[in-house]
Amino acid sequence: MLNPFPELLDFGILAPTLIRVAVAVFFINFGWNKLTKEREHKATFFESIGLRPAGVYVTLLGIFQIVAGVCLIVGVFTQVFAIICATIALVSYIIKKRHPEMLFTPSSIYALLFIMALSLVFSGAGLPAVDLPL
């Protein structure tokens, strides 16, 4: 079947950029929430699953999510951070299914973020990015 807009295929390299920025915005938001308004709630959950000291783990995860988001926006080590973000999204999805009261975001968002991050592993960073295919 013919593509109705074949001239737009020339800009296909921009598609990973849109996905990369969308995933990054979510992870920066998740990290920021862990460091601010959801801190106590997350610390209580971490304590309940045996991660002590929970405050340290919440802080580290929040900072790491922000760093991952910023690196994705810039396009630095995109595939590495995409794998990490996909793993975090998958674990969050599983937690949401087992303990729905612990996470405020719908499970469908975590599933979508998992798929988007995984697609970045295979498609690369897109343009503009520091990571460019050799």
Side-chain angles (χ1 to χ4, degrees), residues 13-124:
I13 193 73
L14 294 176
T17 305
L18 298 174
I19 295 170
R20 191 180 83 222
V21 171
V23 170
V25 167
F26 270 96
F27 274 86
I28 290 171
N29 185 41
F30 289 156
W32 182 254
N33 286 340
K34 280 179 186 59
L35 296 177
T36 58
K37 62 184 176 184
E38 294 178 9
R39 183 173 176 73
E40 293 302 318
H41 185 262
K42 299 300 180 191
T44 303
F45 174 67
F46 281 23
E47 285 280 338
S48 73
I49 61 172
L51 290 174
R52 292 183 183 92
V56 172
Y57 284 109
V58 171
T59 301
L60 288 175
L61 182 58
I63 290 170
F64 189 76
Q65 286 179 321
I66 291 171
V67 168
V70 169
C71 286
L72 284 176
I73 285 178
V74 174
V76 177
F77 299 112
T78 301
Q79 289 178 310
V80 173
F81 283 108
I83 290 171
I84 293 167
C85 288
T87 304
I88 292 171
L90 181 61
V91 169
S92 298
Y93 179 83
I94 293 168
I95 290 171
K96 179 67 175 181
K97 287 299 184 182
R98 292 185 181 172
H99 306 283
E101 71 283 354
M102 288 298 147
L103 298 174
F104 303 122
T105 306
S107 59
S108 58
I109 297 295
Y110 296 120
L112 184 59
L113 284 172
F114 171 74
I115 292 167
M116 291 168 67
L118 199 59
S119 74
L120 288 173
V121 174
F122 298 110
S123 68

